[in-house]
Amino acid sequence: MISRRSPLANCVLGFITGIAVTLLSLDLYFYNATPLTTSLIMAMELGHDSRVDHTEPEDAELRVEMQKNVRILCWIMTTPYNTDKKAIHVNATWAPRCNQYIFFSANESSGLPSVKLNISDGRNYLWWKTKEAFKYLYENELDNYDYFLKADDDTYVIVENLRLMLMPYSPKDPLYFGCRFKPFTKQGYMSGGAGYILSREALKRFVEDGLSDPKKCKAGNTGNEDSEMGKCMYKIGVKAVDTRDSRGRHRMLPFSPNTHVPSKGAPPKWFHQYMYYPYDQGDGCCSNYMVSFHYVGPNQMQALDYIIYRLRLFGSYHEHFQNYGIKGASIFTRAKNFAMSYSHLSDPDDPKPASA
Ligand SMILES: *[C@@H]1O[C@H](CO)[C@@H](O)[C@H](O)[C@H]1NC(C)=O
Ligand SMILES: *[C@@H]1O[C@H](CO)[C@@H](O)[C@H](O)[C@H]1NC(C)=O
Ligand SMILES: *[C@@H]1O[C@H](CO)[C@@H](O)[C@H](O)[C@H]1NC(C)=O
């Protein structure tokens, strides 16, 4: 892209980028893919933030590349009642790290980025709400993003690791990512609480092929959100992806770290029966590049955010990608090589990364 710009534009761009990288290197809290000028203002404002920590310029470069190349719109299922109790904590922690985020349907006076749907709120209507939310995204945002994440207001998502998980794949393929459960279809379905992701092509099919045909996707308003979604995805040919890491550890899970990580106090029995892939309670539960947990209340959400983004281990080293590409390969190429090597690809029926 840069080669198509004029030399002057390149020079100006280089200069601005230089400043940005310098500022960003002081700032751990830059995640939005906002226009550059806004980013600069944000970075400068955050420069005075007590939470600011040192990070390498290369980290900032990688972050920008990832935001540009793996564009994610996150939508969070909430209600007017839960807006102040839960949604504002999602807004204060992980959601702004997505390229864009929308709450369906928060209290309109809250000031959160929210879309009101013309439907009744209530547990019985979650399937209806899900269909309407994805329809809204199809009509308004389809071409602006590569992937569309649905999460609950008590889901915690590590957005950088989500991009790592998605980057080997192509949004032009019909794909569906999440914590994979066994029942209802041959390929199972994705747990609602751990959050799930539709590729652009999957969203397109969902609305164009699925919602128009009640034989493929359940018509009407009632129904269990995540299982209906799974049946629908299966019937319209959207492939469920194995989201585990190369060592078979899960990256998306439907309970909190308190439930998955300790060696005792395992999740309920149904969970073990539902899991599509083997699951090890305790040390083996979770990937080092974990993507999501569920049943994370406001306090734990703030605590997790602190632990992941601010807490430092003195004497540790930071992971780099030197060994994942020929000398001189761009930072994004090296990251992509790493992402592919980190995916779980043992099953020959699995959807394949776009450029393996
Ligand atoms: C929505 O927010 C306004 C302003 O904070 C508040 O007065 C109102 O009670 C809220 N509505 C609900 C349903 O929580
Ligand atoms: C939502 O988060 C943004 C920062 O990302 C903040 O500026 C805004 O005040 C938050 N909104 C509410 C209602 O907490
Ligand atoms: C909302 O839904 C009702 C009933 O389904 C319909 O009569 C009404 O026109 C809808 N309003 C909007 C703004 O779409």
Side-chain angles (χ1 to χ4, degrees):
M1 262 177 87
I2 282 175
S3 61
R4 275 190 239 120
R5 291 197 185 93
S6 73
L8 179 64
N10 269 335
C11 176
V12 171
L13 187 74
F15 179 69
I16 293 173
T17 310
I19 294 175
V21 166
T22 310
L23 287 168
L24 293 176
S25 69
L26 298 169
D27 169 29
L28 185 63
Y29 288 88
F30 171 75
Y31 295 100
N32 287 307
T34 40
L36 195 54
T37 45
T38 321
S39 314
L40 278 171
I41 292 161
M42 276 182 50
M44 283 189 277
E45 280 173 354
L46 288 164
H48 299 290
D49 193 317
S50 62
R51 295 175 304 176
V52 162
D53 206 341
H54 178 79
T55 101
E56 301 295 324
E58 204 182 40
D59 293 355
E61 187 192 343
L62 179 61
R63 213 149 49 222
V64 171
E65 285 296 311
M66 297 290 283
Q67 287 163 353
K68 272 194 328 210
N69 288 287
V70 190
R71 297 169 306 167
I72 303 172
L73 186 149
C74 300
W75 78 267
I76 299 107
M77 176 101 83
T78 190
T79 61
Y81 177 79
N82 271 338
T83 300
D84 284 348
K85 293 181 170 62
K86 295 182 175 177
I88 58 163
H89 301 283
V90 173
N91 178 69
T93 56
W94 65 267
R97 295 174 189 132
C98 306
N99 294 69
Q100 192 191 327
Y101 64 108
I102 303 175
F103 292 90
F104 290 93
S105 23
N107 183 344
E108 283 178 306
S109 344
S110 65
L112 297 181
S114 174
V115 170
K116 185 176 158 56
L117 298 171
N118 185 22
I119 62 168
S120 332
D121 266 309
R123 237 198 123 65
N124 292 338
Y125 299 125
L126 290 183
W127 171 232
W128 187 15
K129 197 166 174 176
T130 301
K131 288 193 286 187
E132 291 300 317
F134 277 122
K135 207 155 79 186
Y136 174 92
L137 298 181
Y138 170 84
E139 281 162 6
N140 295 282
E141 303 289 358
L142 182 69
D143 294 325
N144 300 332
Y145 301 96
D146 302 312
Y147 293 98
F148 299 84
L149 166 95
K150 177 261 154 182
D152 288 341
D153 52 18
D154 57 352
T155 309
Y156 183 83
V157 180
I158 300 142
V159 178
E160 293 78 0
N161 294 351
L162 173 60
R163 290 199 179 95
L164 173 76
M165 188 179 86
L166 297 173
M167 76 191 293
Y169 298 91
S170 167
K172 293 178 195 144
D173 292 331
L175 303 172
Y176 166 47
F177 304 77
C179 177
R180 195 168 178 181
F181 284 163
K182 244 185 262 176
F184 300 117
T185 82
K186 228 173 94 186
Q187 69 172 6
Y189 74 103
M190 302 303 178
S191 143
Y196 54 80
I197 303 106
L198 270 54
S199 66
R200 194 188 312 123
E201 176 61 22
L203 175 58
K204 194 161 172 285
R205 287 194 191 189
F206 180 60
V207 176
E208 292 177 7
D209 305 350
L211 296 189
S212 59
D213 184 350
K215 287 204 272 310
K216 291 177 178 157
C217 302
K218 186 175 186 290
N221 306 334
T222 55
N224 215 339
E225 175 235 336
D226 50 7
S227 53
E228 289 306 334
M229 194 72 192
K231 290 187 250 179
C232 173
M233 291 287 117
Y234 179 65
K235 287 183 193 148
I236 60 176
V238 173
K239 297 262 183 314
V241 179
D242 181 351
T243 56
R244 291 174 301 161
D245 70 17
S246 54
R247 288 167 57 178
R249 294 173 306 191
H250 291 270
R251 289 197 267 195
M252 301 180 74
L253 284 169
F255 291 94
S256 77
N258 295 13
T259 304
H260 290 295
V261 176
S263 54
K264 286 189 183 139
K269 213 169 182 176
W270 69 260
F271 168 79
H272 295 278
Q273 288 156 0
Y274 265 52
M275 285 300 269
Y276 192 94
Y277 301 111
Y279 163 86
D280 290 325
Q281 177 66 24
D283 281 348
C285 71
C286 311
S287 177
N288 291 356
Y289 290 94
M290 195 65 191
V291 169
S292 69
F293 288 108
H294 185 216
Y295 295 123
V296 177
N299 290 352
Q300 191 176 15
M301 202 170 275
Q302 306 275 0
L304 270 179
D305 222 62
Y306 160 75
I307 291 165
I308 295 168
Y309 291 93
R310 291 160 56 201
L311 190 143
R312 281 289 197 269
L313 180 62
F314 183 70
S316 75
Y317 64 92
H318 199 80
E319 183 128 32
H320 285 288
F321 305 103
Q322 276 83 341
N323 301 328
Y324 288 92
I326 51 168
K327 204 161 176 280
S330 75
I331 194 165
F332 186 74
T333 302
R334 281 180 284 148
K336 186 156 178 168
N337 288 342
F338 174 78
M340 285 199 269
S341 75
Y342 201 73
S343 295
H344 197 271
L345 300 169
S346 62
D347 184 342
D349 293 332
D350 283 346
K352 294 289 171 289
S355 51

